[in-house]
Amino acid sequence: MLFLTLVIGGSLIIYIRNTSKIKDDNNFSFRLVVLESKPDINIFDLQVIGEPIRGIPSDIQATIFNEGSAYVSKYPVDIRIDGELIDNWEITVNQGEFLNLTISHTWQVQQPSISVKGDPSSQFDELDDNNNVNSLLVNVAAPEYDFSIIEISAN
């Protein structure tokens, strides 16, 4: 098995285990591909906190993860409900870092669709542009009203 370790400063250290498969002349070759350092923003998760009820605000949370090997700054993220822009952010995320974005929303319809999209105008060069969106269909419950009679009077 071949293990590679990249050391800061550009040195490459190669550890070779199980040398029984290497010929006696110690000549062997392998291919090493080093990718350019780029961010890779993934809209990792999208959820509504608690039970969404029509007419009552609840929080929508999007979890952003930078899977890439470079940080990103001023990265645009949009959140839409049924296609209508609700809010947008410009975020900074380091490589390997998670970030939660939360917004409060009052539900008006029974089954809205939420979508969160990173880099909607494709300004940033990333490793994978296909993981920049996440969507969720939300089932919104009807409110349970609690009425009480305070007073009855006759005219």
Side-chain angles (χ1 to χ4, degrees):
M1 185 171 284
L2 181 67
F3 291 94
L4 301 176
T5 304
L6 183 59
V7 179
I8 306 284
S11 300
L12 182 65
I13 300 173
I14 302 172
Y15 296 100
I16 302 173
R17 303 201 192 250
N18 192 4
T19 57
S20 63
K21 294 184 180 183
I22 298 175
K23 297 177 184 175
D24 289 336
D25 62 4
N26 288 328
N27 290 326
F28 59 95
S29 63
F30 60 90
R31 183 172 175 226
L32 176 65
V33 177
V34 178
L35 299 176
E36 180 183 350
S37 292
K38 293 181 183 180
D40 185 17
I41 299 300
N42 181 349
I43 310 300
F44 188 75
D45 191 26
L46 178 59
Q47 63 179 335
V48 175
I49 308 296
E51 182 182 8
I53 299 173
R54 191 172 59 243
I56 299 174
S58 58
D59 287 342
I60 302 168
Q61 184 180 66
T63 302
I64 313 296
F65 177 53
N66 185 354
E67 293 183 42
S69 58
Y71 87 100
V72 66
S73 180
K74 295 187 177 180
Y75 185 88
V77 177
D78 290 352
I79 182 167
R80 295 177 181 272
I81 297 180
D82 287 336
E84 179 184 341
L85 182 65
I86 300 300
D87 205 349
N88 58 357
W89 300 271
E90 283 190 349
I91 63 172
T92 298
V93 187
N94 288 319
Q95 59 271 25
E97 183 178 73
F98 285 92
L99 175 69
N100 287 327
L101 302 174
T102 305
I103 184 172
S104 184
H105 181 72
T106 302
W107 306 100
Q108 302 301 327
V109 295
Q110 187 172 358
Q111 208 170 37
S113 174
I114 305 170
S115 76
V116 176
K117 183 166 184 158
D119 193 20
S121 58
S122 298
Q123 305 169 223
F124 287 81
D125 187 19
E126 297 183 61
L127 292 175
D128 181 6
D129 288 325
N130 296 319
N131 58 2
N132 292 356
V133 67
N134 199 335
S135 60
L136 178 67
L137 187 61
V138 180
N139 290 317
V140 177
E144 295 180 19
Y145 295 104
D146 187 9
F147 289 103
S148 60
I149 299 175
I150 306 237
E151 181 180 322
I152 299 176
S153 61
N155 287 340

